[in-house]
Amino acid sequence: MSRTRLVRPVGGPMSGLAEIPGSKSQTNRALLCAALAAGTSRLSGVLFADDTEAMLEAVVSLGCDLQIDRQTATLEVTGIGGALSFEKLAIDCRSSGTTSRFLLPVLTAGKGNVVIDGSDQLRSRPFSEQIQALRNLGGTLNELGGPNGLPIEIVADGLEGGTIQISAAESSQFVSGLMLAAPLFEGGLLIELTDTPVSRPYLDLTIEVMKRFGIAITKEGDSVYRIPQGQYRSADMMIEPDASASSYFFAAAAITQGNIRVDGLSRDSWQGDIQFVDVLEALGAQVTWGADWIEVQGDRLSGGTFDLKDFSDTAQTLAAVAAFAESSIEINGIGFIRAKETDRIRAIVTELRKCGVEATELPDGLLIKPNQWRLTGASIDTYDDHRMAMSMALLGLRVPRIEIRDSGCVSKTFPDFFSVLEGLRPTAALGTDAVAVAAIDGPAGSGKSTVARALAVELDLPHFDTGAMYRAVAVAASRQGLDFSDTQAITEVAKTADISIGDKIVVDGIDATEEIRSAKANQLVSMVAANREVRRILVPRQRQWASDLGGGVMEGRDIGTQVFPDAMLKVFLTADLQIRAERRFRETKGQTFDDVLEDLERRDHVDSTRDDSPLEVAPGAVIFDTSNMAIEDVVKELAEMFRSRMEG
Ligand code: DC
């Protein structure tokens, strides 16, 4: 097991150019074609990660010559260029599905004896459809462990092609492997798909790469592929950045209100996973498609239903994004990902739930009903699945205390994932739109006031309690005996009352520090705060306060959403309803616990459903669950976030 890694919340918009390593799928296809070709091929933008190292080792053991330059991510491959023969070879595919499923048919078409094996994880993945197909073509394959899985001994003596019927409902890799091997079969191969394939773009990718290396596949309708017998020719190929790996960065921009660009991808990409960007766009992110780049700008995210059958490697990314959406997201068409590195549907649902997300497994996908108030840190299991680690890390960008166990599993496809992510942390943007304000929003009892005051002391910044302003208006109106349903009268009070907010609250010359916290004020203030005109008067005053003082810690309900959407740090404090009620109960006199609980629920409801500036998590805000935390610890973490934002 590799190390547990704590992902620190970014506290602001992530931005910049994400340097994404080469596509795994293209690297492994190109590498195999180049290895089988006559002559020397040059591959650039190559991915060096566990899955491609497995293929690299394999082609070397088959006798091709490689010049490797990891610095420049280039490879020179001098291919075998003729019949494939080997003697008592053992190939370890590690955990690589592509390596194993591409090599099985290729080796069956050679001559000699070889054992293909892999990790325990790979041993538990499905192979039967491909084994069966190769047997139908006359290949001799002996499972050395359990039936239909690795390790498999191949007693190879060439293969005659013909016609094969195969299902790609479980994995398109079975078909891609047969396509890649088919030029070595006598007479080529006609593949007839027996049902609709999953991940069809990967079949198209295989066709494109093979074409580059001199083999032309013809497609007959949607389900028949004719692959001629032939000799692969060497070629130079530039590998695109990995679109699946890019999904984490586009998602990071989407959920942090950031702006992240990936060079080398475009609408013309061969990779189906770029469709993930369309999903982000449908959710509300802004996407710009360049000739040779894609940029995503985060915005509010809505919900929707998405079929990810063709680009299922991004399903976990979308599930993580869904935790920050404003309505439900259903992902379907992906039942087959239960047979990937792990049961990915079960795994992502289990881990999201640990973080407070209401996620449910569906036979064919999953359903996420986001409630950002409930998000909380957790220790995340990764199931030896790189995509679990990378997608759940996204939660950590906005939720404190998300730790990723066995984070080293990202080495399967993206060894530098965490450092690329760190490199996009927001830098201090003073002088642009960011204001040196820590905006602290949250429901009553979330610890907002205590935390905001202590944070101000810790950071040596002024503190502003905007709720006190609304309370002061309530007090002024109540002193005048006004009817609170008379919105105009209340607005007039907001305009004319003389309110001073400091250590003491003074309303029209009279100390109201205690009065604004009375049960009566508690009762009345929601109505004041729900008054649009009152907010129009008070919000500019709040902004003025911060600009007069050059920043500060400002607490309220709409600081991150309305007052300072560009605050340096936006935080939404939250806590379990029961715990919030207990906190309030300790502070109030003369009310039963049930009264307090009921009052809190009522206020949550009024504050979060009112038409104007409802209490909600500001886009990009850090969501901090204080339920089981000491105030000092919350303050310490927030101070750290604020400082690191200021320092950039
Ligand atoms: O934080 P508090 O309980 O003192 O807030 C009093 C009321 O004012 C509460 O109903 C929420 C509302 N409020 C608001 O709408 N906007 C703010 N910025 C601060 C408080």
Side-chain angles (χ1 to χ4, degrees):
M1 288 287 265
S2 55
R3 86 176 170 99
T4 298
R5 180 187 279 270
L6 182 73
V7 183
R8 288 178 307 120
V10 289
M14 293 179 83
S15 56
L17 184 69
E19 302 253 6
I20 307 296
S23 150
K24 171 191 85 168
S25 314
Q26 285 187 20
T27 299
N28 270 1
R29 282 167 175 79
L31 198 45
L32 185 54
C33 291
L36 296 172
T40 300
S41 301
R42 271 169 218 83
L43 310 182
S44 54
V46 170
L47 170 69
F48 292 104
D50 285 352
D51 273 13
T52 56
E53 296 288 351
M55 183 62 95
L56 269 175
E57 277 169 20
V59 299
V60 169
S61 69
L62 288 172
C64 82
D65 185 41
L66 289 186
Q67 301 289 324
I68 303 176
D69 187 340
R70 287 171 200 272
Q71 285 302 314
T72 58
T74 51
L75 269 183
E76 268 190 22
V77 186
T78 305
I80 299 153
L84 201 56
S85 67
F86 34 84
E87 237 355 279
K88 291 214 177 309
L89 196 60
I91 290 181
D92 177 7
C93 299
R94 305 193 194 187
S95 290
S96 171
T98 50
T99 303
S100 51
R101 286 147 178 177
F102 294 173
L103 284 176
L104 263 174
V106 166
L107 295 173
T108 309
K111 278 201 164 37
N113 188 296
V114 57
V115 173
I116 297 197
D117 201 355
S119 65
D120 284 345
Q121 185 189 69
L122 191 61
R123 283 181 174 192
S124 68
R125 290 179 68 177
F127 284 89
S128 61
E129 193 66 26
Q130 205 179 38
I131 294 173
Q132 202 47 54
L134 291 170
R135 282 191 179 134
N136 289 347
L137 289 169
T140 306
L141 294 90
N142 305 315
E143 296 97 315
L144 304 179
N148 291 319
L150 301 186
I152 292 173
E153 177 195 41
I154 304 170
V155 185
D157 191 20
L159 267 193
E160 273 186 32
T163 299
I164 193 78
Q165 291 178 331
I166 188 166
S167 161
E170 209 172 14
S171 169
S172 63
Q173 290 171 0
F174 300 146
V175 179
S176 282
L178 282 167
M179 284 177 170
L180 286 159
L184 313 180
F185 298 175
E186 270 202 48
L189 185 68
L190 190 77
I191 298 177
E192 292 176 0
L193 301 182
T194 53
D195 41 27
T196 317
V198 295
S199 317
R200 191 188 277 279
Y202 282 114
L203 297 181
D204 296 332
L205 176 62
T206 307
I207 294 170
E208 289 296 338
V209 176
M210 288 175 66
K211 189 162 133 198
R212 184 61 71 88
F213 286 88
I215 303 290
I217 295 184
T218 41
K219 225 167 145 178
E220 293 166 18
D222 251 0
S223 55
V224 177
Y225 298 93
R226 187 181 297 278
I227 307 111
Q229 184 178 5
Q231 173 63 60
Y232 281 106
R233 284 195 312 267
S234 61
D236 292 350
M237 189 174 143
M238 171 88 193
I239 312 274
E240 294 174 358
D242 194 287
S244 330
S246 303
S247 74
Y248 307 108
F249 296 88
F250 293 137
I255 63 172
T256 67
Q257 288 272 284
N259 187 299
I260 293 181
R261 168 171 155 160
V262 174
D263 281 348
L265 288 178
S266 69
R267 268 286 178 220
D268 299 334
S269 166
W270 291 355
Q271 300 172 76
D273 281 14
I274 59 158
Q275 290 175 64
F276 176 72
V277 177
D278 295 328
V279 174
L280 289 181
E281 191 169 33
L283 289 175
Q286 294 157 38
V287 177
T288 314
W289 296 87
D292 190 32
W293 50 267
I294 303 173
E295 191 170 272
V296 172
Q297 162 73 52
D299 207 326
R300 282 179 181 273
L301 299 172
S302 60
T305 298
F306 302 94
D307 183 339
L308 263 63
K309 186 178 197 173
D310 280 349
F311 48 111
S312 70
D313 275 346
T314 64
Q316 291 142 295
T317 326
L318 179 56
V321 167
F324 302 101
E326 289 175 0
S327 49
S328 297
I329 290 188
E330 185 179 320
I331 306 175
N332 51 39
I334 55 164
F336 64 97
I337 73 168
R338 292 183 186 277
K340 295 273 188 164
E341 278 78 344
T342 184
D343 176 340
R344 283 183 166 165
I345 295 177
R346 175 145 303 173
I348 195 78
V349 163
T350 306
E351 300 310 309
L352 283 174
R353 280 190 184 162
K354 279 188 192 168
C355 302
V357 182
E358 192 184 328
T360 324
E361 285 188 46
L362 305 173
D364 200 28
L366 64 154
L367 173 65
I368 296 117
K369 291 187 180 160
N371 178 352
Q372 299 187 56
W373 288 34
R374 298 218 168 168
L375 287 176
T376 188
S379 186
I380 303 301
D381 287 302
T382 48
Y383 309 80
D384 204 10
D385 180 6
H386 52 139
R387 302 212 183 282
M388 282 306 294
M390 295 190 279
S391 53
M392 290 303 294
L394 292 170
L395 267 83
L397 301 175
R398 288 195 44 200
V399 180
R401 309 189 155 207
I402 297 278
E403 57 173 33
I404 308 291
R405 301 178 69 187
D406 195 20
S407 60
C409 65
V410 299
S411 67
K412 189 169 199 282
T413 53
F414 200 161
D416 294 331
F417 171 75
F418 286 101
S419 58
V420 175
L421 196 65
E422 284 301 311
L424 295 163
R425 255 176 205 284
T427 48
L430 274 184
T432 61
D433 289 339
V435 193
V437 161
I440 317 276
D441 293 307
S446 58
K448 206 163 24 83
S449 286
T450 328
V451 166
R453 278 171 213 283
L455 182 63
V457 171
E458 173 70 29
L459 294 171
D460 198 15
L461 285 175
H463 164 254
F464 197 107
D465 174 4
T466 61
M469 242 183 177
Y470 294 93
R471 286 171 178 274
V473 173
V475 163
S478 140
R479 281 182 190 165
Q480 294 176 29
L482 295 178
D483 172 3
F484 274 72
S485 61
D486 183 348
T487 49
Q488 255 179 327
I490 305 293
T491 307
E492 204 45 39
V493 172
K495 254 189 223 159
T496 54
D498 178 16
I499 294 169
S500 146
I501 311 285
D503 285 343
K504 296 230 161 276
I505 312 295
V506 184
V507 179
D508 292 328
I510 304 170
D511 186 336
T513 317
E514 300 248 321
E515 205 180 345
I516 63 160
R517 306 277 161 208
S518 66
K520 191 171 169 201
N522 277 350
Q523 277 287 324
L524 297 172
V525 66
S526 290
M527 274 186 282
V528 173
N531 181 328
R532 187 185 300 266
E533 293 307 315
V534 170
R535 306 194 75 87
R536 283 226 180 112
I537 295 161
L538 299 191
V539 165
R541 290 193 200 161
Q542 294 159 13
R543 291 195 187 117
Q544 190 63 42
W545 172 84
S547 63
D548 286 351
L549 295 175
V553 177
M554 193 176 256
E555 59 165 295
R557 297 292 196 288
D558 60 343
I559 311 302
T561 49
Q562 302 291 330
V563 184
F564 282 112
D566 295 317
M568 188 58 81
L569 179 66
K570 290 188 284 184
V571 182
F572 187 89
L573 289 188
T574 166
D576 201 70
L577 177 66
Q578 197 73 17
I579 292 177
R580 289 194 281 129
E582 280 162 22
R583 288 176 181 164
R584 274 292 142 103
F585 180 59
R586 280 197 297 271
E587 290 165 5
T588 48
K589 291 182 204 98
Q591 272 186 299
T592 66
F593 177 78
D594 286 345
D595 286 345
V596 172
L597 187 73
E598 208 176 294
D599 188 41
L600 262 189
E601 276 186 303
R602 182 188 61 81
R603 287 181 55 192
D604 281 357
H605 181 74
V606 173
D607 288 347
S608 60
T609 56
R610 66 184 182 210
D611 288 344
D612 194 50
S613 315
L615 170 62
E616 59 184 349
V617 176
V622 173
I623 299 161
F624 206 153
D625 175 11
T626 64
S627 302
N628 301 308
M629 286 187 70
I631 293 292
E632 306 85 81
D633 293 333
V634 177
V635 171
K636 217 168 103 193
E637 288 193 28
L638 289 178
E640 228 169 80
M641 281 178 214
F642 188 79
R643 288 196 185 106
S644 74
R645 280 288 282 125
M646 291 296 284
E647 282 153 18

